[in-house]
Amino acid sequence: GPVSRLFDLPLVAAFSLLVTGGIVYATRWLQTRAERPDPGWGGSLVVGAAQALALIPGLSRSGLTVTTAMWVRTRRVVAAEFSFLLSVPAIIGASLLEIPGLLRPEARLGAVPLLAAALSAFFAGLLAIVLFVRWLRSGSFHRFAYYCWVVGLAYIVWALISEAH
């Protein structure tokens, strides 16, 4: 489909990282707005729509959903919890869609490498969650924007230089 074609265009991801940086940086100002203990029905729909936008390469699902939850005045930590709960169906669904490809004979994946990859992803995810919540609690989540901007700009510069040669 149209979204899958975007994965063939690395510059889309680079520019999307710049957008993600801007969205995440906005949390500096949204922190003081947080009042609600939950996003409510309307806010949940808006956060769900933000998650759908993260299908575009380079747009951070968690960055978009947490920032959007904060935009609808949800408290920081609750926004993070809601974002992680919202990710569960998306991750399970994506995993189920990938299983047939992993079971094909040409994939040649053994049980041990597949288990090692799953465990690595699990522990990296746990570390990311711990850091993510720590940054939100301390009010320094906006610093993730610098990473997004550096990586996005670095790729754009690299692409321009390599195209010139």
Side-chain angles (χ1 to χ4, degrees), residues 85-160:
L85 287 174
L86 196 58
S87 75
V88 172
I91 291 169
I92 290 172
S95 299
L96 290 175
L97 290 174
E98 291 298 319
I99 288 174
L102 294 173
L103 298 176
R104 290 189 184 132
E106 63 270 13
R108 297 183 188 188
L109 289 176
V112 173
L114 194 56
L115 180 62
L119 287 173
S120 297
F122 174 76
F123 288 113
L126 280 180
L127 177 63
I129 289 169
V130 168
L131 291 174
F132 188 79
V133 171
R134 184 178 298 160
W135 291 338
L136 273 170
R137 280 196 175 124
S138 70
S140 60
F141 180 59
H142 67 278
R143 292 182 183 154
F144 180 63
Y146 302 127
Y147 163 80
C148 294
W149 291 331
V150 166
V151 172
L153 285 173
Y155 183 80
I156 292 168
V157 168
W158 179 82
L160 290 171

Side-chain angles (χ1 to χ4, degrees), residues 1-9:
V3 173
S4 64
R5 282 187 235 132
L6 294 176
F7 285 87
D8 295 330
L9 305 168

Side-chain angles (χ1 to χ4, degrees), residues 16-17 19-21 23-24 44 46-69 79-92 94 125 128-129 132 136 141 144 148:
S16 295
L17 277 169
V19 171
T20 293
I23 291 167
V24 168
S44 296
V46 173
V47 174
Q51 177 167 275
L53 285 175
L55 289 170
I56 298 170
L59 290 181
S60 166
R61 190 209 62 80
S62 56
L64 285 172
T65 55
V66 168
T67 302
T68 304
E81 291 170 355
F82 186 69
S83 172
F84 289 121
L85 287 174
L86 196 58
S87 75
V88 172
I91 291 169
I92 290 172
I129 289 169
F132 188 79
L136 273 170
F141 180 59
F144 180 63
C148 294

